[in-house]
Every structure is written in structure tokens, then in C-alpha cells.
Amino acid sequence: MANGQANGQWFPQDWPERIRALADGTLTPVTPKRAATVMLLKDPRDGGTPVVHMLRRRASMAFAGGAYAYPGGGVDPRDDDRQVRWAGPTRAWWAERLGVDGAAAQAIVCAAVRETYEEAGVLLAGPTPDTVVGDTTGDDWEADRAAVAARELSFAEFLDRRGLVLRSDLLGAWTRWITPEFESRRYDTWFFVAALPEGQRTRNASTEADRTVWIRPAEAAERYDRGELTMMPPTIATLRQLLPYGSAADALAAAPARDLTPVLAEARLDGDEIVLSWPGHGEFTKHIPTAAGGGPA
């Protein structure tokens, strides 16, 4: 599938055709899969605003190839059928916060922690409720990480095997985006914020990324605006939302009060064009000619 780019934003070229099909009733929306992604933050040693960990998806990827994103991925249903050792807000609290039941809440939080470990080598868990593991780069850790990434080992099983407590208190639920109904791959994604634990360091452990960076949100947003960095709407939107915060702790402290009403794109016919918009995010509005072969403006 060919991709397009406008002002640094990635979009599939088949959007107009699929939007028209949705509008005329010939396209049945795919049920979105639950997913989690994490904006991992740290405060630079030289001071200044926090930086966020981002990875660049390989250009060969069918979905958003070349786009910058955060560590993230789909929920593993195996992570809701086993009670993991848990620190921080209760599962009931998370269920209410995320708008799901307790089992699903555990699986979503597990997905956030698992993907951060899989793709960045950072583990938000420790041997006790108030500690976090140190260096996780040893061969035995890597063997377990690879097994989790390959889905040979569920994250709940990994935590149990290691005797680790999941530190849900190190996460803050930030926002929720659902892939538009006309997309062929759809995700219901909860975005979280977290601070890099003391003693741990990130690395590019993802098979889906060709590079990783620590970058200030303001710089990333400026480079997006110049067309230098490609991002999907949720990524650049969340980067802009991080701009007011002077530290990782400030962002985490703000998370509980944030609105988690899902952001879902809307498409409507307006004369001879389709208007595609994301409620509350005017910068992403696109005007698409209804004539065959039209592309996003």
C-alpha cells in the first residue's frame, strides 16, 4: 500500500476510496483491537524540559513505515487470566479510569509495561512494591525479553517466573485514540506516560524500528511541522500535549485528571468532497475530493 505525507503526517493513499465505501455502506468497519503505547520521559542532566523516547518504524513496515512513534502494541489476552503481583492503584481503579472491566484493565496495563520492555528494554516492575529492577541487559534477561516478544511467554508468566511486582503506579493514563472506522487495521489505543526508572537505560530492542531517539517534544513537533519527521495524528497530538510540562514528574502528576474520552475520526460528505476530521484536533482536518483518484488535501 502506497503512503502519502503532508506536513510530516503519514496517511494511506487508499483512504479516499475506503471513506467513500464507508459512506455508501459497502464497507463494514473492522472491530478495533485493544492496544497500549507509552510516552517514556526523562529529565535531561543538563536541565530543561523533559525528553521523550521515540522510535522510527522501519520503512519496510506495511503500517506507518518510516513514521516516528512510541513503544506500543496490542493487548495479549493471556494477561487478563492470571493475577499478577500488583503495586499502585487497584485493578478496580484502573478499570474505572480506562473504562473497561478489571481483567481488561490488567491486560491493558500489562501491555503498556510489556511493550516498553519489549521495544525499549525498560521494565516498570520490581521485586517489591516500592522498587524497580536495575540493569536488564544481561543474557538471561534478554532471553526472557525475546520469549515475551515472540509470544512464547506471556508477560504475566514472565512476571511470575521472575517474582516481580508490576508497578502500575509508575504509569499515568494520558489519552485514548481509536483508529478511524474506514481503516483496514484498527486499534483502540490507550496512551500512557511513564518516567525512565533510575538505573535503567533504553535501547532499540524492537524488530520494527531502525532507530530510536530521546528528543524534546517541542523539537519533535517543530521538525514535524517542517516535514522532517513523519508521524501519525495521535503521535504529534500527544507530543504537543506534553509541551506545558517542565519535568517528567509534572506530566505524571497531570495524568489522572486528563480526559480519556476516545478520539475517533469522523468523515462526512460536503458537496463534492469528503471532510475528514478528528474532534478536538483541527490541524488534522482533510478535504478529500469525491471523484475517483482524489487524495487528501
Side-chain angles (χ1 to χ4, degrees):
M1 178 175 63
N3 297 335
Q5 183 176 337
N7 298 326
Q9 184 185 147
W10 174 93
F11 61 84
Q13 295 285 25
D14 66 350
W15 270 9
E17 179 183 352
R18 294 184 65 85
I19 291 171
R20 286 192 291 270
L22 181 67
D24 65 24
T26 59
L27 175 67
T28 301
V30 175
T31 300
K33 298 179 179 179
R34 286 173 172 165
T37 191
V38 178
M39 298 179 285
L40 190 63
L41 305 171
K42 72 174 180 179
D43 298 321
R45 292 181 179 177
D46 59 357
T49 56
V51 290
V52 62
H53 180 72
M54 303 190 76
L55 52 84
R56 185 177 66 186
R57 294 173 60 83
R58 295 185 183 279
S60 59
M61 296 293 292
F63 182 74
Y68 280 77
Y70 314 113
V75 168
D76 185 342
R78 295 177 298 173
D79 289 336
D80 68 5
D81 61 4
R82 175 192 297 238
Q83 288 279 305
V84 302
R85 296 179 180 86
W86 191 271
T90 65
R91 290 170 181 79
W93 183 94
W94 278 108
E96 182 175 358
R97 180 75 180 113
L98 302 179
V100 297
D101 61 35
Q106 174 177 293
I108 292 165
V109 173
C110 275
V113 177
R114 184 195 72 234
E115 289 292 335
T116 307
Y117 183 45
E118 281 186 23
E119 299 194 336
V122 171
L123 183 56
L124 305 177
T128 65
D130 57 356
T131 58
V132 178
V133 297
D135 186 5
T136 61
T137 59
D139 289 344
D140 58 334
W141 282 103
E142 179 55 26
D144 278 352
R145 191 203 63 79
V148 170
R151 299 299 183 264
E152 297 166 0
L153 182 68
S154 77
F155 194 66
E157 291 169 335
F158 161 75
L159 293 173
D160 187 57
R161 175 187 293 186
R162 288 273 178 177
L164 295 175
V165 180
L166 185 146
R167 293 289 304 277
S168 83
D169 55 317
L170 300 182
L171 286 169
W174 191 260
T175 191
R176 180 182 178 185
W177 286 63
I178 301 178
T179 309
E181 291 183 329
F182 49 80
E183 269 281 41
S184 55
R185 297 185 183 197
R186 300 190 65 213
Y187 297 94
D188 183 353
T189 305
W190 284 263
F191 285 70
F192 295 84
V193 289
L196 180 69
E198 189 71 29
Q200 293 193 35
R201 62 182 188 273
T202 57
R203 58 195 175 90
N204 183 9
S206 173
T207 58
E208 299 179 353
D210 58 14
R211 71 173 302 217
T212 61
V213 296
W214 282 102
I215 189 168
R216 284 186 167 87
E219 179 187 348
E222 289 168 2
R223 294 181 64 184
Y224 165 89
D225 290 336
R226 293 197 298 265
E228 296 174 7
L229 298 184
T230 303
M231 299 178 203
M232 292 182 287
T235 309
I236 180 59
T238 48
L239 276 173
R240 296 200 200 283
Q241 290 163 359
L242 291 172
L243 295 181
Y245 302 100
S247 69
D250 288 345
L252 274 167
R258 287 191 52 82
D259 183 6
L260 291 188
T261 302
V263 178
L264 174 65
E266 299 173 348
R268 61 181 173 85
L269 290 170
D270 184 8
D272 60 354
E273 67 180 9
I274 295 167
V275 180
L276 176 62
S277 60
W278 278 259
H281 300 273
E283 71 170 296
F284 305 129
T285 300
K286 295 186 181 299
H287 297 263
I288 304 170
T290 56

